[in-house]
Amino acid sequence: MPAGSMIVLERVSHVFDGRSGLVPALDGIDLEVGEREFVAVIGRSGCGKSTLLRIVAGLLAPTEGRVLVGGEPVSRPRRDVSVMFQRPGLLPWRSVLANVLLPAEVLGLDRRRHTARAHELLELAGLRGFADRLPHELSGGMQQRVSLCRSLIQNPAVMLMDEPFSALDALTRTELSVELQRIWLEHARTIVFVTHSVEEAVVLADRVVVLTPRPGRLRKIVDVGIPRPRTIHAPEVAAVSGVLHELLEVAV
Amino acid sequence: MSRAPKRRARRVATVVLPVLGLLAVIALWWLATVFFSIEEFLLPGPADVLAAFGEYPVYLLEHTWVTLVETVQGFGLSIVVGVPIALLIVSSTILERMIYPLLLALNAVPKIAVAPILVVWMGFGPAPKILLVFLVCFFPVVISTASGLKSTPAELVELMRSLDCTRRQEFVKLRFHHALPQIFVGLKVAISLAVIGAVIAEFVGASAGLGYVIVASGASADTALAFAAMGLLGLMSIVLFYGLVYLEHRLLPWAG
């Protein structure tokens, strides 16, 4: 693990108080994520991976255990942590540029500097010339790129991504994961990336955390250890993916 | 055929077809009065109505202006009061439980029953008319605003929360904007009721306005003049309604 732990989860458990009684979602998760480390979390649906992310984001308080980010216990969303969701979640009345600037606005950051930065990010994401468009004029893939720019605008130390590419078609999906890899290589930061695609996890992450379903328990943490840049077709990627697929299939 | 002429043809159709329908109805009306030789004081023909308008254009327009001003003021008041009340309802369950049944009860009272009391309280001037328009418009404005403010998608709320936004920011930057298309639905319902409210109040006691013109012309059996006044009321409703539609398109291009 690289120097210092950015995120620490200590015996984190969560139980939902559902209509048909208590539903355990996460059970005693211990995990450390190093500074500038890229960790992917995979598991079948219902393994609580999104819950885990919301707890780290400070959007949800765990029933038991605690989370530290940058050495401080998390009790509410932090300014230096950004979250990207499965759906783009753009505000339909705001232009692309204004959407990217939303976090800067809410956090009260310098407007001029961040407008320049937003243009840079849009250019980086291949959205040059789209700054003044409205979201509904963009394709799903482009909208998710805008969402990616938005989650980068405040230059967060930690990015939490909840299946950000899973609503996209296969081609766009591969394209975006290549882009995310490039962005991360240019400017490494701590990323926790939840996905149900094993190959996506292997291409992107330093380590892959496998959760078991119902309730989510830590099954195994796999070091990927393949030199970057990686492609989805590389034989090494296929090899590690095979191991992970097996882990996901075998019942505990 | 390329796309542009097609679109133009469609646009022409949206204007031409309603006009054609209107002309057909007027023709039928005219035919009925001629064919059954109906007395003018019972059902004046289109020509009589037009003649009535030609005879008193200034008089009619003056009264149109009075009704229009009452309508717009009452409508404006319903927005100024209704939107903040909707905000209160949405912001707290306790307030919602306190205010909501009251609103329902208020709306359940037939406005026509309230009109005479308003005149007793406020006299024959514009005040009771404005208030009645307000009462008619108030409910749809509050309901649509409240339901609009409540219908914010959970994912957008979560996004705002992940930025640790204040409650105020959540309202101003997210909920209110997102509610605007629904608020406009309520405004469009309200504006089409507003003119009715103004006329009802004028019926009960007024010395000006198109409602007053209708009552006065009825007393002198000048049915053609009453019809001219009704035509102007209809026109006013339509203009106000499409004015709002236009405003909506300009303000909310994203909500198509």
Side-chain angles (χ1 to χ4, degrees):
Chain A
M1 192 192 299
S5 290
M6 193 66 196
I7 304 172
V8 180
L9 281 80
E10 292 174 350
R11 291 179 311 284
V12 170
S13 298
H14 195 76
V15 179
F16 284 108
D17 198 351
R19 213 174 293 169
S20 50
L22 299 178
V23 184
L26 286 174
D27 187 24
I29 305 282
D30 279 306
L31 181 65
E32 285 187 31
V33 180
E35 214 170 303
R36 298 194 182 85
E37 192 186 13
F38 197 135
V39 167
V41 179
I42 61 170
R44 291 155 173 268
S45 52
C47 70
K49 39 191 201 299
S50 290
T51 308
L52 185 74
L53 208 70
R54 278 172 172 72
I55 289 172
V56 177
L59 289 166
L60 194 68
T63 321
E64 271 174 60
R66 63 172 192 163
V67 177
L68 305 172
V69 170
E72 296 164 18
V74 172
S75 57
R76 59 189 302 172
R78 293 167 57 102
R79 302 168 68 95
D80 55 351
V81 175
S82 78
V83 189
M84 186 174 170
F85 298 99
Q86 185 172 356
R87 303 222 285 175
L90 303 178
L91 308 187
W93 53 90
R94 281 177 171 247
S95 68
V96 164
L97 181 68
N99 264 295
V100 174
L101 283 170
L102 180 77
E105 236 177 273
V106 172
L107 299 173
L109 307 175
D110 178 75
R111 187 170 185 88
R112 280 246 314 274
R113 227 185 53 225
H114 284 84
T115 307
R117 181 170 160 75
H119 280 293
E120 278 170 32
L121 286 169
L122 285 172
E123 177 132 11
L124 201 73
L127 288 165
R128 190 194 181 136
F130 286 93
D132 297 323
R133 300 289 190 91
L134 286 173
H136 72 87
E137 297 174 292
L138 270 55
S139 69
M142 288 162 90
Q143 290 188 15
Q144 199 57 294
R145 283 163 196 263
V146 176
S147 176
L148 180 60
C149 292
R150 179 178 62 192
S151 66
L152 284 164
I153 186 79
Q154 78 263 42
N155 200 10
V158 176
M159 289 174 80
L160 305 172
M161 309 178 92
D162 187 8
E163 304 195 34
F165 307 144
S166 66
L168 304 171
D169 63 87
L171 273 177
T172 315
R173 184 174 188 153
T174 317
E175 216 176 274
L176 273 171
S177 63
V178 167
E179 226 146 283
L180 179 61
Q181 189 179 186
R182 198 194 71 212
I183 288 170
W184 185 80
L185 283 175
E186 275 172 21
H187 184 120
R189 57 187 93 226
T190 311
I191 296 183
V192 179
F193 187 97
V194 164
T195 178
H196 58 244
S197 159
V198 169
E199 286 73 17
E200 203 169 76
V202 175
V203 167
L204 290 170
D206 295 319
R207 290 187 299 156
V208 179
V209 175
V210 184
L211 295 184
T212 63
R214 270 177 273 270
R217 286 201 184 90
L218 208 64
R219 173 99 170 81
K220 198 171 172 130
I221 301 177
V222 174
D223 275 303
V224 177
I226 304 168
R228 290 184 169 96
R230 308 169 185 159
T231 61
I232 208 153
H233 308 292
E236 301 97 316
V237 169
V240 179
S241 298
V243 173
L244 288 168
H245 273 297
E246 246 168 68
L247 279 170
L248 283 171
E249 272 154 30
V250 176
V252 186
Chain B
M1 202 151 111
S2 74
R3 217 184 268 170
K6 240 188 208 164
R7 201 178 302 151
R8 199 176 309 142
R10 211 179 303 144
R11 203 173 295 166
V12 167
T14 58
V15 177
V16 169
L17 290 180
V19 171
L20 272 180
L22 182 67
L23 287 178
V25 170
I26 290 174
L28 278 175
W29 168 22
W30 175 72
L31 278 175
T33 55
V34 173
F35 203 71
F36 301 109
S37 50
I38 301 173
E39 298 273 13
E40 198 201 313
F41 74 89
L42 283 178
L43 179 64
D48 304 318
V49 174
L50 221 61
F53 189 79
E55 222 172 308
Y56 313 103
V58 176
Y59 171 78
L60 280 169
L61 285 180
E62 271 172 14
H63 288 287
T64 305
W65 178 250
V66 171
T67 304
L68 180 67
V69 170
E70 290 163 2
T71 305
V72 171
Q73 285 178 332
F75 178 69
L77 191 64
S78 77
I79 298 172
V80 171
V81 178
V83 171
I85 288 193
L87 284 172
L88 283 181
I89 287 178
V90 175
S91 63
S92 118
T93 333
I94 296 171
L95 282 176
E96 182 180 358
R97 295 214 177 121
M98 272 170 67
I99 299 174
Y100 222 80
L102 283 176
L103 281 179
L104 281 172
L106 187 69
N107 191 53
V109 176
K111 301 299 171 298
I112 197 155
V114 182
I117 302 170
L118 293 184
V119 172
V120 170
W121 287 347
M122 309 171 90
F124 290 93
K129 285 88 180 173
I130 294 169
L131 194 61
L132 198 73
V133 173
F134 163 76
L135 287 176
V136 169
C137 296
F138 179 66
F139 196 68
V141 171
V142 173
I143 298 297
S144 65
T145 308
S147 71
L149 289 172
K150 278 185 177 180
S151 69
T152 323
E155 60 194 56
L156 294 184
V157 174
E158 195 158 50
L159 168 77
M160 286 298 282
R161 299 238 162 110
S162 79
L163 297 169
D164 200 20
C165 66
T166 61
R167 249 178 99 85
R168 194 185 133 80
Q169 284 174 324
E170 188 184 316
F171 254 95
V172 175
K173 291 196 190 297
L174 178 60
R175 287 187 187 274
F176 187 70
H177 272 281
H178 196 271
L180 278 174
Q182 251 169 297
I183 293 177
F184 261 95
V185 172
L187 293 185
K188 284 188 273 187
V189 173
I191 198 76
S192 46
L193 296 171
V195 177
I196 301 174
V199 173
I200 288 174
E202 287 170 359
F203 276 178
V204 174
S207 50
L210 288 171
Y212 161 77
V213 171
I214 291 170
V215 172
S217 57
S220 59
D222 192 349
T223 317
L225 185 61
F227 267 65
M230 285 193 276
L232 285 170
L233 283 173
L235 197 65
M236 189 193 297
S237 270
I238 291 170
V239 168
L240 287 172
F241 184 84
Y242 280 104
L244 268 183
V245 172
Y246 174 75
L247 201 67
E248 186 184 9
H249 278 291
R250 288 302 302 270
L251 290 179
L252 317 173
W254 52 275

